[in-house]
Amino acid sequence: MTLSPGTEASEQLLAHARLLASCRDIYLSAWAERLCDVRADSRAHRDIHQVEQGPGGPWPGWLVPQTRNMAVKLVRQQADFCVSMGVLVEQGEFFEPIYSLARSAFEFGLRAYWLLDVDADLRQRCARGRLMELVSVHHLRDAARDRPDVAERRAELDAMKRGWKNLKGSVSSMFADVVIDGDPSRWSIEGARYESWTDVAERWLARGRVAMSGGGLYKHLSVRTHPQGFNATQGFGVSAEGVMTRSTNATEVSRLACVVLLTFYLSLTLVASYHGLASQAVKQMEGEIANQFPGVFK
């Protein structure tokens, strides 16, 4: 797709690109507003002062803050994916890479939502954080077994094995009914499961009053970013002569930019509201999104 400079479509995409590229600055502006200060009467304040315990006794003091910190770092990384996509769009690169960046940005925000979900209680949110850690270590160990330099990394692998044992022991001391057997999709802690990201996405966008299906959107982004022997990429088609074709247009790129900007806004709003911050940076971003994508908020 080639856009002529100065046309309405070109100017619209450039505006999207600039807003995407500003996401890191928006995050840092919110940080300068003391984004993560624990304010009185905020959910963060209630969480930190709530007394919880498990089979091993009272929860350690690091558990609740670490769960929060995981979400905050995920949103910070989400901002960088937004910026990267903005750079590509500004340079007129409209094909597969922007879909890969869009999916990554979406997933990082999705995980932050899962951890700070306002409809979950503190034990559920912290259980989800522990599940994320468990699944991460599980896959890290699995990948490490077949590394090319596995013979030279024996000590590291042994340490990872001990770390896995320690992590499981720690989780079992903090929560009852811990199930960590078989496929990670079946794991659970006190009923909290390592859920399908499609299901979480559906809840996330519905909770954010966004006029699009979160589950359908995640499926769309997922299939567009996997070259798994078939070309399920943007604009795939077959010509009258039987030749495979691929194309895109300004409307499609604009929709993708909308998804990325909107979900970053939702993530940053989630962190700010969790800490009781009425952020001016977030409010300004909301206005920019509403201006560039009329009707996106219900």
Side-chain angles (χ1 to χ4, degrees), residues 14-297:
L14 282 175
H16 299 342
R18 292 181 187 117
L19 187 53
L20 284 163
S22 72
C23 286
R24 180 177 181 276
D25 292 335
I26 291 169
Y27 181 93
L28 293 176
S29 293
W31 189 267
E33 295 177 284
R34 302 174 69 168
L35 174 65
C36 292
D37 280 8
V38 178
R39 294 164 181 81
D41 298 324
S42 66
R43 283 197 298 132
H45 186 270
R46 292 193 294 274
D47 282 356
I48 286 174
H49 289 87
Q50 185 169 326
V51 177
E52 295 285 350
Q53 65 178 17
W59 276 4
W62 55 261
L63 179 59
V64 174
Q66 188 187 61
T67 304
R68 182 279 308 269
N69 292 345
M70 289 167 66
V72 171
K73 289 175 182 176
L74 287 164
V75 178
R76 172 63 185 84
Q77 293 171 88
Q78 185 185 11
D80 286 341
F81 286 113
C82 296
V83 172
S84 300
M85 182 177 166
V87 170
L88 288 179
V89 172
E90 188 169 22
Q91 295 301 314
E93 299 291 344
F94 300 126
F95 282 93
E96 286 87 344
I98 64 171
Y99 275 87
S100 298
L101 291 168
R103 180 186 176 181
S104 294
F106 189 89
E107 286 182 332
F108 274 67
L110 191 61
R111 282 159 171 75
Y113 162 76
W114 194 55
L115 291 174
L116 294 184
D117 183 358
V118 297
D119 297 316
D121 62 29
L122 176 61
R123 292 190 75 90
Q124 289 173 315
R125 294 198 298 273
C126 289
R128 290 172 181 179
R130 295 297 87 200
L131 279 170
M132 279 188 65
E133 299 283 36
L134 285 162
V135 173
S136 296
V137 176
H138 165 78
H139 287 301
L140 185 62
R141 291 176 65 226
D142 183 57
R145 291 189 186 101
D146 297 319
R147 287 178 55 154
D149 58 349
V150 67
E152 295 82 6
R153 307 298 286 271
R154 194 71 259 166
E156 184 180 331
L157 292 173
D158 289 343
M160 194 180 296
K161 184 177 180 180
R162 291 192 300 271
W164 170 249
K165 182 178 179 180
N166 293 340
L167 179 59
K168 289 199 298 182
S170 172
V171 172
S172 295
S173 74
M174 292 184 282
F175 298 92
D177 191 22
V178 177
V179 179
I180 314 173
D181 297 310
D183 188 275
S185 64
R186 300 178 183 274
W187 294 2
S188 66
I189 298 176
E190 294 188 357
R193 297 184 302 106
Y194 194 72
E195 298 176 76
S196 154
W197 293 114
T198 305
D199 292 342
V200 179
E202 189 67 27
R203 290 206 311 272
W204 184 28
L205 267 62
R207 191 68 174 77
R209 299 179 294 109
V210 175
M212 61 181 78
S213 164
L217 176 59
Y218 185 65
K219 289 179 182 178
H220 174 75
L221 291 174
S222 296
V223 76
R224 298 290 192 187
T225 56
H226 282 296
Q228 298 168 316
F230 54 84
N231 285 304
T233 50
Q234 170 54 32
F236 172 71
V238 181
S239 72
E241 295 77 22
V243 178
M244 188 196 78
T245 62
R246 283 185 292 174
S247 63
T248 190
N249 55 58
T251 300
E252 174 63 23
V253 177
S254 181
R255 287 195 189 106
L256 194 62
C258 177
V259 167
V260 174
L261 287 163
L262 184 61
T263 50
F264 173 65
Y265 161 80
L266 290 177
S267 301
L268 193 54
T269 298
L270 177 71
V271 172
S273 63
Y274 178 74
H275 292 92
L277 172 64
S279 170
Q280 288 302 308
V282 173
K283 189 68 177 175
Q284 289 172 10
M285 185 180 189
E286 179 182 338
E288 286 282 353
I289 292 173
N291 181 55
Q292 292 192 23
F293 307 99
V296 71
F297 296 108

